[in-house]
């Protein structure tokens, strides 16, 4: 797992929504590997972001993969809409529906990569029996719903355990919450290869800084592997 390519996935939740298209183009040019698209419903999490229409409007601005994180419940009725809006991978929370395996089948039926997210209090056992049905495992290192939160320290051990559970399966291990150049090295050592970062990249919304911020996270993650 630790040999999987490092991917930096800026969270567009931290973008300046008054110029969202410009932000997407700037992040693309700055070296983003994925775009992490946080979808919040104000029910499963205490915030509302945007829907498939907004996502579809920015899809044409980049060819980079859209890593779509659905923080909504029930999630099943919306899988198809976000797939059609341009998602490349769709990650759902283990608690967001009664039948996780069925939800993953629905995502796969849309031709998309499958992912499961586990919250800080969600045990890894929640995904143990569906590992062979996913392409990505997202370990939340904050409670989902808002950007700018601090990394929860005990998430690091959970990441190590998740990496061991994945073993040699071709599954990307992603982290979301409080990620920065300061902890990217330790996260990479623990097994992370996809780094979701909002404030650490987009804080201040100065597009001239995005490339250096992305590079700093990438450098910290890759140096530890050398």
């Amino acid at each position: 797992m630790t040999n999987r390519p490092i991917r930096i996935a800026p969270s567009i939740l931290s973008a300046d929504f008054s110029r969202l298209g410009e932000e997407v183009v700037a992040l693309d040019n700055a070296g983003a590997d994925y775009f992490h698209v946080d979808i919040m419903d104000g029910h499963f999490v205490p915030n509302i972001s945007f829907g498939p229409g907004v996502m579809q409007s920015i899809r044409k601005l980049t060819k980079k993969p859209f890593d779509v994180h659905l923080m909504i419940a029930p999630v099943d009725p919306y899988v198809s809409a976000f797939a059609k809006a341009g998602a490349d991978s769709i990650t759902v929370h283990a608690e967001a529906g009664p039948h996780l395996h069925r939800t993953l089948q629905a995502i796969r039926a849309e031709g998309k990569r499958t992912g499961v997210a586990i919250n800080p209090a969600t045990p890894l056992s929640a995904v143990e029996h569906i590992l062979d049905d996913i392409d990505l495992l997202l370990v939340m290192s904050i409670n989902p719903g808002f950007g700018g939160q601090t990394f929860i320290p005990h998430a690091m051990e959970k990441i190590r355990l998740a990496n061991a559970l994945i073993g040699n399966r071709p599954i990307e291990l992603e982290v979301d919450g409080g990620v920065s150049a300061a902890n990217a090295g330790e996260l990479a050592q623990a097994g992370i290869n996809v780094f979701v970062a909002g404030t650490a990249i987009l804080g201040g919304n100065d597009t001239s800084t995005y490339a250096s911020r992305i590079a700093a996270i990438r450098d910290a993650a890759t140096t530890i592997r050398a």
Side-chain angles (χ1 to χ4, degrees), residues 136-164:
L136 182 149
L137 177 59
L138 169 55
V139 178
M140 295 299 299
S141 45
I142 57 169
N143 287 296
F146 296 95
Q149 297 184 63
T150 302
F151 184 91
I152 296 173
H154 68 69
M156 195 67 75
E157 178 59 20
K158 193 175 192 179
I159 289 165
R160 294 188 185 99
L161 293 172
N163 188 48

PDB file of all heavy atoms in Angstrom, residues 136-164:
ATOM      1  N   LEU A 136     -11.278   2.788  -2.553  1.00  0.00           N
ATOM      2  CA  LEU A 136     -10.735   3.832  -1.701  1.00  0.00           C
ATOM      3  C   LEU A 136     -11.343   3.733  -0.309  1.00  0.00           C
ATOM      4  O   LEU A 136     -12.539   3.500  -0.167  1.00  0.00           O
ATOM      5  CB  LEU A 136     -11.052   5.210  -2.317  1.00  0.00           C
ATOM      6  CG  LEU A 136     -10.557   6.472  -1.626  1.00  0.00           C
ATOM      7  CD1 LEU A 136     -10.286   7.566  -2.661  1.00  0.00           C
ATOM      8  CD2 LEU A 136     -11.580   6.994  -0.618  1.00  0.00           C
ATOM      9  N   LEU A 137     -10.496   3.895   0.703  1.00  0.00           N
ATOM     10  CA  LEU A 137     -10.953   3.967   2.085  1.00  0.00           C
ATOM     11  C   LEU A 137     -10.541   5.326   2.640  1.00  0.00           C
ATOM     12  O   LEU A 137      -9.349   5.669   2.645  1.00  0.00           O
ATOM     13  CB  LEU A 137     -10.340   2.844   2.918  1.00  0.00           C
ATOM     14  CG  LEU A 137     -10.681   2.834   4.415  1.00  0.00           C
ATOM     15  CD1 LEU A 137     -12.190   2.729   4.627  1.00  0.00           C
ATOM     16  CD2 LEU A 137      -9.953   1.703   5.130  1.00  0.00           C
ATOM     17  N   LEU A 138     -11.530   6.090   3.075  1.00  0.00           N
ATOM     18  CA  LEU A 138     -11.294   7.433   3.595  1.00  0.00           C
ATOM     19  C   LEU A 138     -11.414   7.422   5.117  1.00  0.00           C
ATOM     20  O   LEU A 138     -12.480   7.124   5.666  1.00  0.00           O
ATOM     21  CB  LEU A 138     -12.301   8.413   2.997  1.00  0.00           C
ATOM     22  CG  LEU A 138     -12.386   9.816   3.604  1.00  0.00           C
ATOM     23  CD1 LEU A 138     -11.038  10.511   3.607  1.00  0.00           C
ATOM     24  CD2 LEU A 138     -13.417  10.655   2.853  1.00  0.00           C
ATOM     25  N   VAL A 139     -10.310   7.729   5.784  1.00  0.00           N
ATOM     26  CA  VAL A 139     -10.321   7.848   7.240  1.00  0.00           C
ATOM     27  C   VAL A 139     -10.499   9.323   7.596  1.00  0.00           C
ATOM     28  O   VAL A 139      -9.653  10.153   7.266  1.00  0.00           O
ATOM     29  CB  VAL A 139      -9.020   7.301   7.860  1.00  0.00           C
ATOM     30  CG1 VAL A 139      -9.034   7.492   9.378  1.00  0.00           C
ATOM     31  CG2 VAL A 139      -8.843   5.821   7.512  1.00  0.00           C
ATOM     32  N   MET A 140     -11.619   9.632   8.240  1.00  0.00           N
ATOM     33  CA  MET A 140     -11.867  11.005   8.667  1.00  0.00           C
ATOM     34  C   MET A 140     -11.055  11.292   9.926  1.00  0.00           C
ATOM     35  O   MET A 140     -11.167  10.589  10.928  1.00  0.00           O
ATOM     36  CB  MET A 140     -13.356  11.223   8.947  1.00  0.00           C
ATOM     37  CG  MET A 140     -14.258  11.100   7.731  1.00  0.00           C
ATOM     38  SD  MET A 140     -13.882  12.313   6.421  1.00  0.00           S
ATOM     39  CE  MET A 140     -14.183  13.863   7.293  1.00  0.00           C
ATOM     40  N   SER A 141     -10.252  12.332   9.869  1.00  0.00           N
ATOM     41  CA  SER A 141      -9.438  12.727  11.021  1.00  0.00           C
ATOM     42  C   SER A 141     -10.009  13.974  11.693  1.00  0.00           C
ATOM     43  O   SER A 141      -9.351  14.614  12.515  1.00  0.00           O
ATOM     44  CB  SER A 141      -7.982  12.947  10.596  1.00  0.00           C
ATOM     45  OG  SER A 141      -7.906  13.696   9.400  1.00  0.00           O
ATOM     46  N   ILE A 142     -11.236  14.313  11.320  1.00  0.00           N
ATOM     47  CA  ILE A 142     -12.070  15.296  11.996  1.00  0.00           C
ATOM     48  C   ILE A 142     -13.502  14.761  11.933  1.00  0.00           C
ATOM     49  O   ILE A 142     -13.781  13.832  11.191  1.00  0.00           O
ATOM     50  CB  ILE A 142     -12.026  16.694  11.339  1.00  0.00           C
ATOM     51  CG1 ILE A 142     -12.454  16.585   9.861  1.00  0.00           C
ATOM     52  CG2 ILE A 142     -10.658  17.346  11.467  1.00  0.00           C
ATOM     53  CD1 ILE A 142     -12.698  17.904   9.166  1.00  0.00           C
ATOM     54  N   ASN A 143     -14.395  15.362  12.699  1.00  0.00           N
ATOM     55  CA  ASN A 143     -15.805  15.053  12.531  1.00  0.00           C
ATOM     56  C   ASN A 143     -16.305  15.822  11.325  1.00  0.00           C
ATOM     57  O   ASN A 143     -16.094  17.039  11.225  1.00  0.00           O
ATOM     58  CB  ASN A 143     -16.582  15.431  13.788  1.00  0.00           C
ATOM     59  CG  ASN A 143     -16.309  14.469  14.920  1.00  0.00           C
ATOM     60  OD1 ASN A 143     -16.641  13.295  14.834  1.00  0.00           O
ATOM     61  ND2 ASN A 143     -15.685  14.954  15.979  1.00  0.00           N
ATOM     62  N   PRO A 144     -16.939  15.155  10.368  1.00  0.00           N
ATOM     63  CA  PRO A 144     -17.291  15.814   9.103  1.00  0.00           C
ATOM     64  C   PRO A 144     -18.343  16.900   9.290  1.00  0.00           C
ATOM     65  O   PRO A 144     -19.158  16.848  10.204  1.00  0.00           O
ATOM     66  CB  PRO A 144     -17.846  14.658   8.266  1.00  0.00           C
ATOM     67  CG  PRO A 144     -18.342  13.664   9.260  1.00  0.00           C
ATOM     68  CD  PRO A 144     -17.403  13.764  10.419  1.00  0.00           C
ATOM     69  N   GLY A 145     -18.273  17.897   8.408  1.00  0.00           N
ATOM     70  CA  GLY A 145     -19.283  18.945   8.414  1.00  0.00           C
ATOM     71  C   GLY A 145     -18.736  20.339   8.214  1.00  0.00           C
ATOM     72  O   GLY A 145     -19.433  21.211   7.692  1.00  0.00           O
ATOM     73  N   PHE A 146     -17.484  20.563   8.599  1.00  0.00           N
ATOM     74  CA  PHE A 146     -16.897  21.892   8.464  1.00  0.00           C
ATOM     75  C   PHE A 146     -15.426  21.781   8.112  1.00  0.00           C
ATOM     76  O   PHE A 146     -14.742  20.847   8.539  1.00  0.00           O
ATOM     77  CB  PHE A 146     -17.026  22.688   9.777  1.00  0.00           C
ATOM     78  CG  PHE A 146     -18.440  22.986  10.182  1.00  0.00           C
ATOM     79  CD1 PHE A 146     -19.101  22.152  11.066  1.00  0.00           C
ATOM     80  CD2 PHE A 146     -19.106  24.087   9.671  1.00  0.00           C
ATOM     81  CE1 PHE A 146     -20.408  22.404  11.447  1.00  0.00           C
ATOM     82  CE2 PHE A 146     -20.416  24.353  10.041  1.00  0.00           C
ATOM     83  CZ  PHE A 146     -21.063  23.515  10.934  1.00  0.00           C
ATOM     84  N   GLY A 147     -14.921  22.766   7.366  1.00  0.00           N
ATOM     85  CA  GLY A 147     -13.496  22.849   7.096  1.00  0.00           C
ATOM     86  C   GLY A 147     -12.784  23.563   8.231  1.00  0.00           C
ATOM     87  O   GLY A 147     -13.415  24.146   9.115  1.00  0.00           O
ATOM     88  N   GLY A 148     -11.454  23.517   8.201  1.00  0.00           N
ATOM     89  CA  GLY A 148     -10.664  24.276   9.152  1.00  0.00           C
ATOM     90  C   GLY A 148     -10.519  23.665  10.528  1.00  0.00           C
ATOM     91  O   GLY A 148     -10.045  24.326  11.452  1.00  0.00           O
ATOM     92  N   GLN A 149     -10.909  22.403  10.701  1.00  0.00           N
ATOM     93  CA  GLN A 149     -10.804  21.767  12.010  1.00  0.00           C
ATOM     94  C   GLN A 149      -9.403  21.201  12.242  1.00  0.00           C
ATOM     95  O   GLN A 149      -8.628  21.010  11.316  1.00  0.00           O
ATOM     96  CB  GLN A 149     -11.835  20.644  12.139  1.00  0.00           C
ATOM     97  CG  GLN A 149     -13.280  21.096  12.063  1.00  0.00           C
ATOM     98  CD  GLN A 149     -14.226  19.927  12.292  1.00  0.00           C
ATOM     99  OE1 GLN A 149     -14.252  19.320  13.363  1.00  0.00           O
ATOM    100  NE2 GLN A 149     -15.012  19.596  11.264  1.00  0.00           N
ATOM    101  N   THR A 150      -9.113  20.913  13.504  1.00  0.00           N
ATOM    102  CA  THR A 150      -7.813  20.377  13.900  1.00  0.00           C
ATOM    103  C   THR A 150      -7.800  18.858  13.810  1.00  0.00           C
ATOM    104  O   THR A 150      -8.774  18.192  14.177  1.00  0.00           O
ATOM    105  CB  THR A 150      -7.489  20.799  15.349  1.00  0.00           C
ATOM    106  OG1 THR A 150      -7.515  22.225  15.422  1.00  0.00           O
ATOM    107  CG2 THR A 150      -6.114  20.310  15.760  1.00  0.00           C
ATOM    108  N   PHE A 151      -6.700  18.321  13.342  1.00  0.00           N
ATOM    109  CA  PHE A 151      -6.506  16.874  13.221  1.00  0.00           C
ATOM    110  C   PHE A 151      -6.707  16.200  14.574  1.00  0.00           C
ATOM    111  O   PHE A 151      -6.149  16.626  15.588  1.00  0.00           O
ATOM    112  CB  PHE A 151      -5.090  16.610  12.691  1.00  0.00           C
ATOM    113  CG  PHE A 151      -4.776  15.169  12.415  1.00  0.00           C
ATOM    114  CD1 PHE A 151      -4.997  14.637  11.159  1.00  0.00           C
ATOM    115  CD2 PHE A 151      -4.241  14.347  13.407  1.00  0.00           C
ATOM    116  CE1 PHE A 151      -4.691  13.300  10.889  1.00  0.00           C
ATOM    117  CE2 PHE A 151      -3.941  13.027  13.149  1.00  0.00           C
ATOM    118  CZ  PHE A 151      -4.170  12.504  11.882  1.00  0.00           C
ATOM    119  N   ILE A 152      -7.522  15.144  14.609  1.00  0.00           N
ATOM    120  CA  ILE A 152      -7.747  14.380  15.838  1.00  0.00           C
ATOM    121  C   ILE A 152      -6.608  13.368  15.988  1.00  0.00           C
ATOM    122  O   ILE A 152      -6.449  12.477  15.151  1.00  0.00           O
ATOM    123  CB  ILE A 152      -9.109  13.661  15.785  1.00  0.00           C
ATOM    124  CG1 ILE A 152     -10.245  14.689  15.722  1.00  0.00           C
ATOM    125  CG2 ILE A 152      -9.286  12.744  16.988  1.00  0.00           C
ATOM    126  CD1 ILE A 152     -11.618  14.083  15.509  1.00  0.00           C
ATOM    127  N   PRO A 153      -5.785  13.484  17.030  1.00  0.00           N
ATOM    128  CA  PRO A 153      -4.557  12.689  17.124  1.00  0.00           C
ATOM    129  C   PRO A 153      -4.758  11.178  17.019  1.00  0.00           C
ATOM    130  O   PRO A 153      -3.943  10.487  16.390  1.00  0.00           O
ATOM    131  CB  PRO A 153      -3.987  13.082  18.493  1.00  0.00           C
ATOM    132  CG  PRO A 153      -4.505  14.461  18.729  1.00  0.00           C
ATOM    133  CD  PRO A 153      -5.887  14.465  18.137  1.00  0.00           C
ATOM    134  N   HIS A 154      -5.829  10.637  17.627  1.00  0.00           N
ATOM    135  CA  HIS A 154      -5.961   9.175  17.617  1.00  0.00           C
ATOM    136  C   HIS A 154      -6.283   8.627  16.224  1.00  0.00           C
ATOM    137  O   HIS A 154      -6.269   7.415  16.011  1.00  0.00           O
ATOM    138  CB  HIS A 154      -6.979   8.695  18.650  1.00  0.00           C
ATOM    139  CG  HIS A 154      -8.409   9.065  18.378  1.00  0.00           C
ATOM    140  ND1 HIS A 154      -9.144   8.545  17.345  1.00  0.00           N
ATOM    141  CD2 HIS A 154      -9.244   9.903  19.029  1.00  0.00           C
ATOM    142  CE1 HIS A 154     -10.358   9.036  17.359  1.00  0.00           C
ATOM    143  NE2 HIS A 154     -10.453   9.876  18.362  1.00  0.00           N
ATOM    144  N   ALA A 155      -6.546   9.519  15.263  1.00  0.00           N
ATOM    145  CA  ALA A 155      -6.769   9.057  13.890  1.00  0.00           C
ATOM    146  C   ALA A 155      -5.505   8.432  13.301  1.00  0.00           C
ATOM    147  O   ALA A 155      -5.591   7.583  12.415  1.00  0.00           O
ATOM    148  CB  ALA A 155      -7.241  10.212  13.014  1.00  0.00           C
ATOM    149  N   MET A 156      -4.338   8.839  13.794  1.00  0.00           N
ATOM    150  CA  MET A 156      -3.086   8.320  13.234  1.00  0.00           C
ATOM    151  C   MET A 156      -2.976   6.808  13.445  1.00  0.00           C
ATOM    152  O   MET A 156      -2.607   6.066  12.521  1.00  0.00           O
ATOM    153  CB  MET A 156      -1.896   9.043  13.863  1.00  0.00           C
ATOM    154  CG  MET A 156      -0.596   8.856  13.109  1.00  0.00           C
ATOM    155  SD  MET A 156      -0.570   9.634  11.461  1.00  0.00           S
ATOM    156  CE  MET A 156      -0.392  11.372  11.916  1.00  0.00           C
ATOM    157  N   GLU A 157      -3.307   6.351  14.632  1.00  0.00           N
ATOM    158  CA  GLU A 157      -3.252   4.918  14.899  1.00  0.00           C
ATOM    159  C   GLU A 157      -4.309   4.177  14.083  1.00  0.00           C
ATOM    160  O   GLU A 157      -4.070   3.066  13.591  1.00  0.00           O
ATOM    161  CB  GLU A 157      -3.445   4.642  16.390  1.00  0.00           C
ATOM    162  CG  GLU A 157      -3.440   3.168  16.768  1.00  0.00           C
ATOM    163  CD  GLU A 157      -2.143   2.446  16.395  1.00  0.00           C
ATOM    164  OE1 GLU A 157      -1.096   3.108  16.199  1.00  0.00           O
ATOM    165  OE2 GLU A 157      -2.179   1.204  16.290  1.00  0.00           O
ATOM    166  N   LYS A 158      -5.460   4.802  13.916  1.00  0.00           N
ATOM    167  CA  LYS A 158      -6.516   4.188  13.110  1.00  0.00           C
ATOM    168  C   LYS A 158      -6.062   4.028  11.664  1.00  0.00           C
ATOM    169  O   LYS A 158      -6.368   3.020  11.007  1.00  0.00           O
ATOM    170  CB  LYS A 158      -7.764   5.058  13.178  1.00  0.00           C
ATOM    171  CG  LYS A 158      -9.028   4.405  12.651  1.00  0.00           C
ATOM    172  CD  LYS A 158     -10.197   5.348  12.904  1.00  0.00           C
ATOM    173  CE  LYS A 158     -11.514   4.669  12.675  1.00  0.00           C
ATOM    174  NZ  LYS A 158     -12.648   5.584  12.952  1.00  0.00           N
ATOM    175  N   ILE A 159      -5.321   5.006  11.162  1.00  0.00           N
ATOM    176  CA  ILE A 159      -4.787   4.934   9.804  1.00  0.00           C
ATOM    177  C   ILE A 159      -3.808   3.768   9.680  1.00  0.00           C
ATOM    178  O   ILE A 159      -3.833   3.018   8.697  1.00  0.00           O
ATOM    179  CB  ILE A 159      -4.129   6.272   9.419  1.00  0.00           C
ATOM    180  CG1 ILE A 159      -5.204   7.346   9.215  1.00  0.00           C
ATOM    181  CG2 ILE A 159      -3.263   6.119   8.174  1.00  0.00           C
ATOM    182  CD1 ILE A 159      -4.666   8.758   9.180  1.00  0.00           C
ATOM    183  N   ARG A 160      -2.948   3.610  10.661  1.00  0.00           N
ATOM    184  CA  ARG A 160      -2.001   2.487  10.633  1.00  0.00           C
ATOM    185  C   ARG A 160      -2.745   1.147  10.606  1.00  0.00           C
ATOM    186  O   ARG A 160      -2.368   0.228   9.871  1.00  0.00           O
ATOM    187  CB  ARG A 160      -1.073   2.555  11.856  1.00  0.00           C
ATOM    188  CG  ARG A 160      -0.143   3.762  11.861  1.00  0.00           C
ATOM    189  CD  ARG A 160       0.883   3.664  12.988  1.00  0.00           C
ATOM    190  NE  ARG A 160       1.684   4.874  13.061  1.00  0.00           N
ATOM    191  CZ  ARG A 160       1.471   5.874  13.916  1.00  0.00           C
ATOM    192  NH1 ARG A 160       0.479   5.787  14.798  1.00  0.00           N
ATOM    193  NH2 ARG A 160       2.246   6.936  13.907  1.00  0.00           N
ATOM    194  N   LEU A 161      -3.779   1.045  11.417  1.00  0.00           N
ATOM    195  CA  LEU A 161      -4.561  -0.187  11.451  1.00  0.00           C
ATOM    196  C   LEU A 161      -5.305  -0.399  10.128  1.00  0.00           C
ATOM    197  O   LEU A 161      -5.417  -1.533   9.652  1.00  0.00           O
ATOM    198  CB  LEU A 161      -5.552  -0.133  12.619  1.00  0.00           C
ATOM    199  CG  LEU A 161      -4.931  -0.156  14.020  1.00  0.00           C
ATOM    200  CD1 LEU A 161      -6.005   0.106  15.079  1.00  0.00           C
ATOM    201  CD2 LEU A 161      -4.229  -1.481  14.290  1.00  0.00           C
ATOM    202  N   ALA A 162      -5.787   0.688   9.544  1.00  0.00           N
ATOM    203  CA  ALA A 162      -6.474   0.584   8.252  1.00  0.00           C
ATOM    204  C   ALA A 162      -5.520   0.121   7.166  1.00  0.00           C
ATOM    205  O   ALA A 162      -5.872  -0.711   6.318  1.00  0.00           O
ATOM    206  CB  ALA A 162      -7.077   1.936   7.875  1.00  0.00           C
ATOM    207  N   ASN A 163      -4.309   0.629   7.210  1.00  0.00           N
ATOM    208  CA  ASN A 163      -3.305   0.232   6.225  1.00  0.00           C
ATOM    209  C   ASN A 163      -2.994  -1.260   6.344  1.00  0.00           C
ATOM    210  O   ASN A 163      -2.873  -1.964   5.339  1.00  0.00           O
ATOM    211  CB  ASN A 163      -2.039   1.061   6.423  1.00  0.00           C
ATOM    212  CG  ASN A 163      -1.013   0.858   5.330  1.00  0.00           C
ATOM    213  OD1 ASN A 163      -1.340   0.905   4.150  1.00  0.00           O
ATOM    214  ND2 ASN A 163       0.229   0.633   5.706  1.00  0.00           N
ATOM    215  N   ALA A 164      -2.903  -1.736   7.570  1.00  0.00           N
ATOM    216  CA  ALA A 164      -2.642  -3.166   7.791  1.00  0.00           C
ATOM    217  C   ALA A 164      -3.829  -4.006   7.329  1.00  0.00           C
ATOM    218  O   ALA A 164      -3.643  -5.084   6.744  1.00  0.00           O
ATOM    219  CB  ALA A 164      -2.355  -3.414   9.267  1.00  0.00           C
TER     220      ALA A 164
END
